[in-house]
């Protein structure tokens, strides 16, 4: 496995693979890799001849006052995770390699990005779409792998690929959780012992919603109320949002009569965590 820092080195390597007729998978990450990332790499390794993992804490997707500086980084450990999983190349650029002086072209989206995380993070998806577009141009993968953990991001990337005719297959991968239910996240390292326990309220409240749905509840408002009520029982938790939206267009729904995304962002102390689940009626 190689680790490279420049766009040209990636291009050279991918060109050589293409000459041999090999397929290429891309797993974009911000590093500090955990089992969630590993599941994406595993999937890419199993579906492609070669796998590229990008490790890049993308400055333009962080707003003012967010955790760009404190975001955890550990390149040695990340390299070991990638190597074990069977990745072939890590692309680990400096910000100046991705955003040269005078950089001023962005990829923005008029739909899907205004609600959910877009409300509190207004420039976030512009940063995500821009960096992912750049990575797609640099790596030119056949397939790219994204986690359902960031459900809105997955929907946005799928839409962008369609709108801009990237011709890349987007593969969504299930949420990997800790044994007690907490969705794995690089940001979980911010939590102290008490907060780590409190953070379970996200998956617990989603499960309460799921149970209501499975018992026949079809009013989105009722489900949302039950989830909010559970989160509010936890004194360390502060809700950013709890929303139930149509999985196709991310617009709020009243009835649970199609595939819906139940998504939440909750502050546990100073740490903002997200979690979600998809609900859909199965044929009887
Ligand atoms: P990040 O490094 O947080 O930007 O995440 C990189 C990719 O890994 C994104 O596509 C995430 O959705 C995915 N990912 C992060 N956490 C998980 C998880 N717990 N389960 C599945 N995928 C994840």
């Amino acid at each position: 496995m190689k680790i490279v820092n420049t766009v040209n080195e990636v291009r050279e390597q991918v060109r050589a693979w293409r000459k041999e007729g090999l397929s290429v998978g891309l797993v974009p990450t911000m590093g500090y890799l955990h089992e969630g990332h590993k599941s994406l790499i595993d999937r890419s390794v199993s579906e492609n001849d070669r796998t590229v993992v990008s490790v890049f804490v993308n400055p333009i997707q962080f707003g003012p006052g967010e955790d760009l500086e404190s975001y955890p980084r550990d390149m040695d450990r990340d390299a070991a995770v990638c190597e074990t999983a069977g990745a072939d190349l890590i692309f680990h650029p400096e910000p100046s390699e991705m955003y040269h002086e005078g950089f001023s072209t962005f990829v923005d989206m008029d739909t899907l990005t205004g609600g959910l995380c877009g409300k509190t993070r207004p420039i976030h998806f512009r940063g995500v779409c821009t960096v992912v577009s750049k990575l797609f141009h640099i790596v030119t993968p056949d397939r790219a792998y994204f986690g359902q953990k960031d459900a809105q991001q997955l929907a946005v990337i799928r839409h962008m690929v369609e709108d801009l005719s990237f011709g890349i297959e987007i593969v969504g991968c299930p949420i990997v959780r800790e044994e007690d239910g907490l969705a794995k996240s690089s940001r979980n390292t911010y939590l102290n012992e008490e907060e780590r326990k409190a953070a379970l309220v996200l998956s617990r409240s989603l499960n309460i919603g799921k149970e209501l749905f499975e018992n026949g509840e079809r009013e989105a408002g009722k489900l949302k109320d039950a989830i909010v009520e559970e989160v509010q029982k936890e004194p360390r938790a502060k809700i950013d949002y709890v929303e139930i939206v149509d999985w196709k267009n991310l617009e709020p729904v009243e009835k649970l009569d199609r595939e819906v995304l139940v998504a939440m962002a909750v502050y546990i102390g100073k740490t903002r965590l997200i979690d979600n689940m998809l609900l859909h009626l199965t044929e009887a």
Side-chain angles (χ1 to χ4, degrees):
M1 187 190 71
K2 264 197 228 167
I3 304 177
V4 300
N5 310 112
T6 66
V7 170
N8 281 341
E9 287 169 293
V10 178
R11 290 219 163 103
E12 234 169 75
Q13 178 62 82
V14 173
R15 217 173 284 138
W17 289 337
R18 292 294 184 202
K19 264 196 188 151
E20 293 178 59
L22 302 173
S23 62
V24 178
L26 169 67
V27 182
T29 82
M30 297 211 298
Y32 214 71
L33 304 180
H34 50 66
E35 294 289 323
H37 299 110
K38 192 177 166 297
S39 73
L40 271 53
I41 303 171
D42 287 343
R43 179 94 182 258
S44 174
V45 168
S46 75
E47 294 179 353
N48 301 278
D49 298 316
R50 295 290 181 267
T51 289
V52 180
V53 180
S54 60
V55 175
F56 180 56
V57 182
N58 176 33
I60 69 165
Q61 71 186 62
F62 289 77
E66 291 187 353
D67 57 345
L68 172 61
E69 275 81 34
S70 56
Y71 198 84
R73 294 158 165 93
D74 186 345
M75 198 51 214
D76 291 342
R77 217 182 102 234
D78 289 350
V81 171
C82 290
E83 176 108 60
T84 311
D88 300 279
L89 183 72
I90 296 181
F91 178 40
H92 180 46
E94 288 295 323
S96 58
E97 178 69 11
M98 294 295 273
Y99 305 114
H100 60 79
E101 220 184 298
F103 182 92
S104 64
T105 306
F106 296 87
V107 179
D108 215 343
M109 191 177 289
D110 284 348
T111 56
L112 302 182
T113 58
L116 307 176
C117 288
K119 258 201 187 131
T120 29
R121 308 189 74 192
I123 62 151
H124 177 68
F125 289 109
R126 180 175 97 139
V128 169
C129 286
T130 303
V131 77
V132 171
S133 295
K134 280 182 70 83
L135 290 168
F136 284 177
H137 288 307
I138 295 163
V139 179
T140 62
D142 298 279
R143 294 175 198 84
Y145 296 79
F146 293 86
Q148 180 69 33
K149 160 87 187 335
D150 299 84
Q152 187 175 15
Q153 170 174 281
L154 175 59
V156 164
I157 298 296
R158 283 208 164 111
H159 192 73
M160 178 185 81
V161 162
E162 181 73 30
D163 277 0
L164 299 184
S165 311
F166 271 102
I168 294 169
E169 184 188 337
I170 301 303
V171 183
C173 303
I175 301 177
V176 176
R177 297 178 179 279
E178 304 284 354
E179 258 176 42
D180 59 8
L182 178 65
K184 297 217 181 211
S185 165
S186 309
R187 289 191 168 96
N188 291 349
T189 52
Y190 296 148
L191 303 170
N192 65 31
E193 205 179 317
E194 291 306 310
E195 290 170 341
R196 172 66 184 74
K197 278 185 208 147
L200 286 178
V201 77
L202 281 87
S203 54
R204 188 168 66 242
S205 62
L206 284 176
N207 282 335
I208 287 173
K210 187 166 183 232
E211 222 175 285
L212 276 177
F213 177 74
E214 282 168 357
N215 288 330
E217 183 57 65
R218 294 292 175 262
E219 297 289 331
K222 292 241 173 81
L223 216 80
K224 179 171 161 174
D225 288 349
I227 292 170
V228 166
E229 192 187 320
E230 181 65 20
V231 178
Q232 284 173 341
K233 283 186 199 157
E234 171 50 61
R236 285 183 171 80
K238 194 174 141 269
I239 293 175
D240 176 5
Y241 69 81
V242 173
E243 295 285 353
I244 304 182
V245 297
D246 186 323
W247 178 225
K248 282 212 175 74
N249 57 22
L250 305 188
E251 294 293 333
V253 296
E254 283 181 13
K255 297 263 181 240
L256 306 171
D257 55 0
R258 66 203 93 164
E259 189 165 26
V260 299
L261 172 74
V262 184
M264 58 167 60
V266 174
Y267 288 92
I268 301 292
K270 287 201 170 74
T271 305
R272 185 175 176 280
L273 299 177
I274 57 172
D275 202 347
N276 70 83
M277 64 177 173
L278 288 173
L279 294 179
H280 48 93
L281 297 167
T282 45
E283 302 295 319

